[in-house]
Amino acid sequence: MSHPKNNPTSKPSATTDNSIAPQQPTQEPQGTIEKSEPTKTRAIDGKTIADVIEEAKTNPPAIVVITGKPLGKYFLISKEKMFLGRELNTDICIPETSISRKHSEFMVTENGVAVMDLGSTNGTFVNDVKLDALVPRILNEGDHVRCGNTLFKFVREGQIETRAGLKNYDYSTDSLTGIFNRKAIVETIQEEFTKAKLRNTALSFILFDIDHFKKINDTYGHPAGDYVLKEICDLIKTKMIRQRDALGRYGGEEFALLLPQTNSQIAIDVAERIRSAIEKHCFLFEDKQILVTISLGVVALDSTSKTYNDLIALADKALYDAKNNGRNRVCVR
């Protein structure tokens, strides 16, 4: 089914005898090598625990997302003033509609890190207490800060967990676009597929890629291609999908979008809106406008999908259909 572009759709036992039993001589088995006891406990990467603690002293304060997306991401409070909002040019960008364009401000003061609400629509809360607009509140270690539907935990400076958290987040995120990498999106698909099967709820999946992306790289250069990849992801994240949806980079110019609790018809509508938005968007790189279109394959969970791999394979076939039928369109399987 094809939708053309103009169709919206062990310890010895204790005794009370204080005498010391005579020691029995022990004989070292032949062939064994005498081992010396390590003088320092070392972390598994070769550093001593003291080294790790010393390094952590240089870690700046941070807030980490503990509910919402990007789950697990650490935002370092590395400047005297940092703004949080859904606008792309904010220091802490959370592309979620319950967050205002400029929602709150984090600032480094003599007394520590403070947060201040900027008159946001849904407010800024610290430990479930709503802040008065434009009144700073000093944060303590472990405080919870809520902006819209996103919940953060404040981590003060010098904490080991900050560096560990940054490394862990890097393992799941595509460095260019900031969305899930292939491993993370596949794990998310597997998890949501299992949930949907157990609960008998709807689940839809979209695979899409950029039409003639090689030509864009060849014509405008690879930096322009990187710009297009990032711009598409920013556009979709901020304006086209819900917080519960999962967007990941599946390949070079191929992306996966998972839509939990979404039936086929709604998924088709979402795919068509994304296709149309990309086609109409002004991609401007170094004063050169780049025409960009995408092809999308849509599939919904049904009884024929026994595993999450079946769902991916079916979406791949639908994407293949879209390419073979002229590109810049949505096809469904």
Side-chain angles (χ1 to χ4, degrees):
M1 173 178 170
S2 173
H3 292 261
K5 65 179 181 180
N6 292 324
N7 185 20
T9 49
S10 210
K11 174 177 183 180
S13 58
T15 66
T16 57
D17 188 357
N18 292 329
S19 62
I20 301 175
Q23 293 184 352
Q24 299 297 321
T26 58
Q27 185 175 356
E28 191 75 21
Q30 286 187 336
T32 62
I33 301 174
E34 185 178 349
K35 297 180 179 179
S36 60
E37 184 178 343
T39 57
K40 287 185 178 180
T41 301
R42 304 189 75 83
I44 58 173
D45 63 356
K47 296 179 181 178
T48 65
I49 300 301
D51 290 337
V52 175
I53 293 173
E54 187 63 31
E55 284 185 357
K57 292 179 180 179
T58 63
N59 293 339
I63 55 172
V64 55
V65 180
I66 59 175
T67 300
K69 294 179 181 178
L71 186 64
K73 180 170 176 61
Y74 277 68
F75 293 95
L76 302 179
I77 310 300
S78 55
K79 300 191 295 187
E80 287 189 2
K81 291 185 178 182
M82 295 183 67
F83 294 95
L84 180 149
R86 72 170 189 266
E87 283 189 343
L88 294 178
N89 61 352
T90 53
D91 304 291
I92 303 170
C93 178
I94 305 294
E96 205 267 300
T97 54
S98 66
I99 290 180
S100 298
R101 296 182 184 278
K102 280 196 175 179
H103 194 103
S104 54
E105 180 183 345
F106 290 83
M107 59 197 81
V108 180
T109 73
E110 292 181 354
N111 298 317
V113 175
V115 61
M116 180 174 69
D117 184 76
L118 297 175
S120 64
T121 300
N122 293 312
T124 301
F125 296 74
V126 176
N127 302 329
D128 286 332
V129 177
K130 188 175 183 180
L131 302 183
D132 293 330
L134 305 179
V135 179
R137 160 75 182 265
I138 296 294
L139 296 174
N140 297 310
E141 171 68 21
D143 277 351
H144 289 164
V145 179
R146 178 162 59 84
C147 300
N149 293 323
T150 305
L151 184 64
F152 303 88
K153 176 185 174 182
F154 174 67
V155 182
R156 64 179 177 82
E157 67 278 3
Q159 300 302 297
I160 295 175
E161 65 181 280
T162 302
R163 183 162 304 194
L166 288 168
K167 288 181 179 179
N168 183 62
Y169 182 77
D170 287 344
Y171 292 147
S172 64
T173 307
D174 178 66
S175 59
L176 174 65
T177 61
I179 62 175
F180 281 150
N181 58 24
R182 183 186 178 101
K183 180 178 181 293
I185 190 64
V186 170
E187 287 176 351
T188 304
I189 295 167
Q190 183 177 11
E191 179 183 348
E192 292 295 336
F193 180 90
T194 302
K195 284 182 185 178
K197 279 286 190 179
L198 289 173
R199 300 172 183 175
N200 195 29
T201 55
L203 178 69
S204 292
F205 179 58
I206 300 171
L207 268 182
F208 66 93
D209 71 8
I210 303 171
D211 297 330
H212 304 296
F213 185 67
K214 184 178 183 300
K215 184 177 180 180
I216 293 174
N217 279 333
D218 292 343
T219 304
Y220 302 99
H222 287 274
D226 288 348
Y227 157 76
V228 169
L229 292 171
K230 190 176 185 303
E231 187 76 0
I232 286 176
C233 293
D234 287 343
L235 179 62
I236 295 174
K237 283 191 303 181
T238 56
K239 297 181 179 180
M240 312 297 296
I241 60 176
R242 307 161 299 181
Q243 188 175 16
R244 72 176 69 169
D245 302 329
L247 178 65
R249 190 175 180 184
Y250 198 70
E253 69 270 24
E254 188 173 16
F255 299 87
L257 175 59
L258 190 67
L259 305 173
Q261 301 178 31
T262 304
N263 62 36
S264 178
Q265 187 55 55
I266 294 176
I268 294 169
D269 291 344
V270 169
E272 176 56 32
R273 287 201 302 271
I274 292 174
R275 185 209 62 77
S276 178
I278 298 302
E279 183 181 36
K280 296 174 182 177
H281 186 71
C282 179
F283 292 86
L284 197 62
F285 182 78
E286 295 181 348
D287 297 327
K288 296 177 182 177
Q289 187 169 354
I290 305 173
L291 299 179
V292 181
T293 61
I294 60 174
S295 298
L296 307 92
V298 181
V299 63
L301 176 63
D302 60 22
S303 58
T304 63
S305 298
K306 304 301 182 184
T307 70
Y308 73 94
N309 282 320
D310 294 337
L311 197 69
I312 295 174
L314 206 55
D316 192 51
K317 290 178 181 178
L319 174 56
Y320 186 80
D321 292 341
K323 290 179 178 179
N324 279 352
N325 285 310
R327 302 180 187 267
N328 190 24
R329 64 190 61 233
V330 176
C331 284
V332 187
R333 280 274 183 158

